Amino acid sequence: MLFRDVGKDVIAIPQPSHAWLSGQLLRAWGNGIFAPVIPYEEVCLGAELHDIGWLSWEAAPTLNPQTARPHSFQELGAAIHTSLWTEGVRRALAFGRYPALLVSLHADTIYGSLFNFAKAPPEDAALVRRFLDDQHRFQSACVEAMTDNPRYATILSPQAIERNRLLVAAVDRMSLQIGWGLTSEACIPNVPTIGEARTEIRLRSPSGDPAELVVDPWPFAADHVEVVCEGRLLRGRFTDERAMRQALDRAETITIPTVLRHP
C-alpha cells in the first residue's frame, strides 16, 4: 500500500493497483529514442503483476502503530516482505514463465536498491540472502526451460533480460511518483533506450498539479498518455487494527487519472 496525502487524510492505493499503472505505462512505451518492448505481452504483463504477492495482505492490511495507519510497503519487515515476494513469484508463474521471471527479477531490483545489508539485523540480512539465492535458482530454471521455445530463443541473452528488468524497474518508479502525487520533479535513473544505452527520465509537474505531468525525454509512442489507478480515501488515524480495516472497507473509492505530456 502507498499513500497520497489529501489534507489531513490519505488516498490509500493498493500495491496491485500501482502495478496496474506500471503496466499501462509500459503498454504505451516505445518510439525512435526508446526501443519497443520485446516480448511485448509478457513484459507488460510482468510489469502489471510485479506486486501480485500483495493481494492477500491488501485484503487484510496490518496497522502500523507508529503512524496509526496501515503499513506502507516500505514499513514491513524482511520476514513479511520476503514471504510476500515468494508468494508473488508463485502466483505470477500461473500466467507464464516469462512474466514470473520478471517478477522474480524485480525482487533483485528492490533488494538491491532499498535493502541495506550492512545496517540490517544479521538475521534479516541472512533471510534476504537466502530468499535471493532461491530466486536466482528460479530465474536460471526459467531461462533454461524457455531456451528451446522459438518465441523466446533469441531474447534470452543476459543483455535482453537485463533490459527488461530495467524497464519494469523504470515504470515501477514512475508509477510510484504518480501514485504519491508528484507536485514538483522526480528523476527515474538507468532507463533503457536503444541497445544497451541508458538515460535518466525526468517527471515534473509544471503547475503543481499531480494530474498533469511532463515527461522528458519522452519514452512513449503517442504524443500524450493517460493512465489511471484507484485508491480509497482513508480518513483519520487508528489505534485498533480491526477498526482501521473496517474504515478502509467503507472508504470512498477514488479514481486517480493522470495525463503525461511531451515536453
Side-chain angles (χ1 to χ4, degrees):
M1 189 172 290
L2 58 135
F3 303 109
R4 177 183 287 204
D5 291 327
V6 182
K8 295 181 179 180
D9 303 317
V10 292
I11 301 174
I13 302 172
Q15 293 295 112
S17 185
H18 142 74
W20 173 40
L21 177 53
S22 300
Q24 293 171 57
L25 293 169
L26 208 47
R27 288 187 177 278
W29 201 269
N31 55 35
I33 300 173
F34 292 82
V37 179
I38 301 173
Y40 179 79
E41 288 296 340
E42 289 90 333
V43 181
C44 292
L45 181 57
E48 290 163 357
L49 295 177
H50 79 259
D51 278 336
I52 195 174
W54 288 82
L55 283 173
S56 297
W57 187 92
E58 292 284 358
T62 53
L63 176 67
N64 183 342
Q66 295 181 331
T67 65
R69 284 176 174 152
H71 283 100
S72 77
F73 73 96
Q74 298 162 309
E75 295 168 347
L76 295 172
I80 295 174
H81 211 270
T82 53
S83 175
L84 293 175
W85 271 111
T86 301
E87 181 62 21
V89 174
R90 288 198 194 104
R91 284 177 165 171
L93 190 56
F95 293 83
R97 286 190 183 93
Y98 203 99
L101 172 64
L102 291 177
V103 174
S104 178
L105 286 166
H106 195 61
D108 278 306
T109 301
I110 295 300
Y111 285 105
S113 60
L114 296 179
F115 189 82
N116 190 323
F117 286 92
K119 293 184 178 180
E123 60 273 19
D124 284 356
L127 176 63
V128 171
R129 287 192 179 96
R130 289 196 299 272
F131 164 76
L132 290 176
D133 286 345
D134 287 343
Q135 292 307 308
H136 295 158
R137 286 189 286 271
F138 172 79
Q139 293 160 19
S140 296
C142 276
V143 172
E144 183 178 355
M146 291 186 285
T147 299
D148 294 331
N149 186 325
R151 179 171 176 83
Y152 305 114
T154 62
I155 53 172
L156 291 175
S157 69
Q159 295 82 3
I161 292 172
E162 174 67 358
R163 173 185 175 79
N164 287 334
R165 181 189 72 83
L166 291 173
L167 281 174
V168 173
V171 294
D172 175 44
R173 284 175 177 257
M174 292 174 72
S175 62
L176 285 173
Q177 293 295 337
I178 293 169
W180 285 326
L182 183 67
T183 57
S184 55
E185 182 172 313
C187 294
I188 312 299
N190 213 21
V191 183
T193 55
I194 301 292
E196 295 186 36
R198 309 285 183 259
T199 193
E200 179 180 86
I201 285 179
R202 294 177 301 282
L203 295 179
R204 61 183 177 86
S205 174
S207 65
D209 181 357
E212 295 272 349
L213 301 179
V214 170
V215 184
D216 185 21
W218 183 250
F220 305 112
D223 61 359
H224 76 283
V225 172
E226 298 182 22
V227 295
V228 65
C229 65
E230 191 170 282
R232 286 167 287 177
L233 181 59
L234 184 62
R235 300 184 183 277
R237 307 272 181 164
F238 305 88
T239 56
D240 179 77
E241 189 170 81
R242 185 164 177 256
M244 177 269 291
R245 290 175 177 173
Q246 289 175 340
L248 267 176
D249 288 342
R250 296 192 299 265
E252 176 188 358
T253 298
I254 304 294
T255 301
I256 304 171
T258 307
V259 178
L260 307 177
R261 299 197 183 278
H262 197 287

